[in-house]
Amino acid sequence: MTQRILSAMASAPAKVLEGIFAINKPQSLSSAQVIRDLQIKFAESKTFAPLLEETRNAARENGSKRRRVSKENVFKIGHGGTLDPLATGILIIGLGRGTKHLSGFLECKKTYETVVLFGKSTTTYDVAGKVVAEAPTSSITRAAVEEQLVKFRGKSKQIPPIYSAIKIDGMKLYDYARTGKELPRELESRDIEVSDCTLLDFWEAGEHDFRYPAEQASDEEKATTKKIMEGVTATKESMAKNRSEAKSDILAAKAGENSLPPAQKAALHTHPLPTQESEPAQAPAARIRLTVSSGFYVRSFCHDLGINCGSWGTMAALIRSQQSDFTTLDPAPEGFVTALTYEDLDAGEEVWGPKIRPVLEKWLDQHPPGSQPPAREAGGVDNQGRNNGKSFKRVKGIGGQKKSWNNKERDYSSPQTRRRNSSSPEA
């Protein structure tokens, strides 16, 4: 009797795991590189062997003309909201049928912790850029920051940074910035909502370890940035020519990238912080928690806060601490799930397998095969876009005296030329 049961269990088909989970993205990696890393890791695993077999069978049945499927492009997989390389934290991943449910995660509210370093502005509004302007910080006090934070709460409009994935006339803003082309028209403001904007820590000069970038922008870059900030535009004729030339260059570069070996691709999508100044910035810094709507740019917030306080501001650190039911906290508060980490992946399948399996099995129970994804789906927002009322405990992350931002970086070979990642809204 027992032998028959064991034989039946052995002959039963293995469960195909797919759905939604989250990974805690390390600093310096692009979101696209995280997807590649997961493809390679999952393709070699026993946990996702049934999904791999199903994917290959479906390709054969559909008469797929793809000549060869590499390990970095095996599964149908995507993410629910890009994080810049500088940022860490929650990156929602859709695997298999889960990719059809990602749109709701793009629209749901997200919680961040960011550090604003006052006194200088950069090309990218963060410490990964080049310094383009500086101003005194004597007006920056705890009281002044708290007074200005009140003005950011609620519904308002925000102008996105030039280094973003928003398109103008079919071309992304970061491509205009990277190629030095001027914008054909002013950046349009976007409707955003901030439901929480709380000062967690305020540090005077000498009380923190955050540093400005060492590299100064050239006079040409400063002039270009100034024009972009002011919304200055060139003639339609010259811009039409510039856009055409820039698009050709960008498409050619991307086509070349697709033929590179995985290690070289990884190097292109790994962005270590550029050289920072040798000493901590002699300027105030503030750690702020934000819960925001879709379309919100934390870098723009840091820039705007600096201006509102009578100086400049740049983003020195960013953690996406919560999105939907996923959190960076371990252990997770009741009702939340701790995101998978790169440390889990590096430790092997015996560590990450038992962590990801129950998350995907729960998703499968809620979304059986044949079910259709709703128009909007994400914990934290209902079908009318209202917050579902889940509370979230204060996240421990960036606080403390003499705090630095030294998250562990992946050991990829350094690219010959550092490229800025294409980035969707941080929110």
Side-chain angles (χ1 to χ4, degrees), residues 133-383:
E134 53 186 289
T137 59
S138 56
S139 61
I140 311 294
T141 64
R142 173 184 283 272
V145 172
E146 289 182 326
E147 179 182 352
Q148 294 303 321
L149 290 182
V150 174
K151 301 176 182 179
F152 285 92
R153 296 178 187 132
K155 295 181 179 180
S156 62
K157 290 184 177 291
Q158 184 188 62
I159 297 177
I162 182 63
Y163 276 89
S164 62
I166 294 172
K167 292 183 178 181
I168 292 183
D169 292 355
M171 183 171 165
K172 294 178 180 179
L173 293 186
Y174 62 79
D175 286 332
Y176 282 107
R178 194 168 62 211
T179 56
K181 308 298 182 182
E182 293 184 355
L183 299 180
R185 59 178 181 274
E186 289 186 26
L187 288 174
E188 296 179 1
S189 60
R190 310 178 70 183
D191 293 324
I192 52 99
E193 183 175 4
V194 178
S195 53
D196 181 23
C197 186
T198 303
L199 180 64
L200 301 178
D201 286 295
F202 181 83
W203 300 291
E204 299 284 357
E207 295 180 347
H208 64 80
D209 195 38
F210 297 105
R211 305 172 187 222
Y212 298 125
E215 187 174 4
Q216 293 280 332
S218 66
D219 291 341
E220 183 180 356
E221 288 171 319
K222 289 180 180 179
T224 300
T225 302
K226 184 178 180 181
K227 283 186 178 182
I228 291 168
M229 287 179 174
E230 295 174 349
V232 176
T233 61
T235 63
K236 291 184 179 179
E237 291 79 12
S238 63
M239 283 309 306
K241 180 181 178 181
N242 286 343
R243 286 197 304 276
S244 177
E245 291 174 351
K247 278 187 177 181
S248 299
D249 294 342
I250 293 158
L251 288 174
K254 288 182 178 178
E257 178 183 325
N258 289 336
S259 63
L260 293 175
Q264 291 185 34
K265 283 186 183 179
L268 286 174
H269 287 270
T270 305
H271 309 266
L273 274 178
T275 303
Q276 306 289 286
E277 291 186 345
S278 59
E279 298 294 330
Q282 292 303 300
R287 183 170 70 102
I288 298 162
R289 182 177 61 232
L290 296 157
T291 298
V292 299
S293 64
S294 173
F296 185 91
Y297 281 86
V298 181
R299 285 179 287 138
S300 285
F301 162 80
C302 297
H303 177 79
D304 294 342
L305 178 62
I307 293 174
N308 287 7
C309 291
S311 183
W312 293 109
T314 190
M315 190 181 81
L318 179 65
I319 295 175
R320 183 188 283 165
S321 55
Q322 181 200 344
Q323 185 177 359
S324 183
D325 296 333
F326 297 100
T327 176
T328 55
L329 289 177
D330 187 14
E334 184 177 355
F336 289 87
V337 178
T338 299
L340 203 66
T341 67
Y342 262 66
E343 287 73 19
D344 295 332
L345 295 177
D346 291 339
E349 188 176 359
E350 62 274 13
V351 173
W352 63 258
K355 291 186 176 183
I356 197 172
R357 179 176 288 276
V359 177
L360 295 180
E361 287 179 340
K362 181 179 179 181
W363 187 92
L364 286 168
D365 290 340
Q366 297 171 343
H367 307 85
S371 61
Q372 296 298 316
R376 294 187 183 185
E377 177 188 76
V381 177
D382 64 15
N383 289 334

Side-chain angles (χ1 to χ4, degrees), residues 85-128:
L86 174 63
T88 68
I90 301 297
L91 188 66
I92 301 289
I93 304 295
L95 179 63
R97 287 191 300 115
T99 57
K100 297 180 180 180
H101 296 251
L102 287 173
S103 60
F105 293 94
L106 291 169
E107 299 171 357
C108 73
K109 290 184 178 181
K110 305 166 186 72
T111 297
Y112 295 90
E113 281 189 23
T114 188
V115 169
V116 184
L117 181 58
F118 295 99
K120 293 187 180 183
S121 180
T122 72
T123 51
T124 57
Y125 294 0
D126 61 25
V127 293

